[in-house]
Amino acid sequence: MNRQQKLAWFNLVILVFSLLLSSTVVIWMAVVLKAGPIALSGFGLFAICLLHLLGPAVFPKKRKAGQVLFDERDAEIARRALSYGDVTSNVFFVSTFVCALLALGFEGSVRVASLGLIIGGAYFVSKVTESLTTLILYGRERTDGQD
Amino acid sequence: MAKTELKNRIRRLRFDHEEMTQQELANRAGVTRQTIIAIEGGKYAPSLMLAFRIARVFGLRVEEVFEYEGPEPDQGSGKKESAGGNVS
């Protein structure tokens, strides 16, 4: 497993953990504390997903003499992963607003706090897609031993 | 990545060159070993520059290492090509 795959797994674990944690808190506040719409503030915990930005520090580049760590194929996979993540976040963003428009109508309104959820959701979708694409594109290939 | 239409003789050439390892070839071509594995397996089509570098490691021309297996380019498109190769 190369550094890009490790970073993708790291991102995926942090993002899914953040989503599960914040969702659990929201459900707990809504059901146990009967907090009503305030329960959605539990999604603020989702901000811990920003820990995934520490990935490059957790997995530093370890270069042996003469060894290449990142080449044109890695760049191509990174570029494709980034573009897939970009597309899915755009689709998420647009579809969310279209759904809101269909559900609430032209005269409807949403809470300002829900905009944060939409942006956070788009970020989540983007990063998860990017990580999954990276893992799939690397994972499809044979893993022959050294010969 | 999908299977490419580029056939190659890298595996054969490595063994002909004192059983060169994938890591040695990767180091000399300036790529990772995973990329050499992907190219050998036909899962990745290298850039022109990388194809030249790999061929140079073996002291061969590109067409002696790589072979295109895809369909022939359509020559009956009805457009005439000029002597200079420009398509109007």
Side-chain angles (χ1 to χ4, degrees), chain B:
Chain B
M1 294 189 176
K3 200 92 173 169
T4 67
E5 295 170 333
L6 205 60
K7 193 178 165 187
N8 69 77
R9 296 173 52 225
I10 293 176
R11 195 178 182 84
R12 178 77 258 159
L13 289 167
R14 280 196 302 110
F15 282 98
D16 290 346
H17 283 74
E18 298 169 357
E19 299 196 354
M20 184 189 291
T21 63
Q22 290 169 333
Q23 187 65 62
E24 282 171 348
L25 175 59
N27 291 347
R28 291 176 68 178
V31 292
T32 61
R33 190 173 73 86
Q34 285 89 344
T35 297
I36 296 297
I37 293 169
I39 294 170
E40 271 190 13
K43 304 277 176 105
Y44 176 68
S47 69
L48 199 53
M49 291 300 288
L50 177 55
F52 274 109
R53 286 206 303 269
I54 290 172
R56 187 166 285 184
V57 169
F58 295 120
L60 298 170
R61 290 177 302 169
V62 175
E63 60 267 34
E64 291 174 301
V65 181
F66 296 97
E67 186 185 338
Y68 177 64
E69 280 192 322
E72 290 294 320
D74 186 15
Q75 294 176 345
S77 62
K79 289 186 176 179
K80 283 185 177 179
E81 287 186 21
S82 67
N86 295 326
V87 179
S88 55

Side-chain angles (χ1 to χ4, degrees), chain A residues 1-2 5 65-74 76-77 80 137 140-147, chain B residues 1-2 11 14 20-23 26-27 30-35 37-38 40-41 43-47 50:
Chain A
M1 191 183 290
N2 66 20
Q5 287 170 291
Q67 193 179 3
V68 176
L69 295 177
F70 192 86
D71 62 17
E72 62 174 45
R73 181 170 143 270
D74 297 315
E76 170 70 11
I77 289 175
R80 284 174 68 174
L137 289 178
R140 269 191 199 168
E141 285 147 16
R142 290 189 314 174
T143 50
D144 290 4
Q146 176 75 52
D147 59 8
Chain B
M1 294 189 176
R11 195 178 182 84
R14 280 196 302 110
M20 184 189 291
T21 63
Q22 290 169 333
Q23 187 65 62
N27 291 347
V31 292
T32 61
R33 190 173 73 86
Q34 285 89 344
T35 297
I37 293 169
E40 271 190 13
K43 304 277 176 105
Y44 176 68
S47 69
L50 177 55

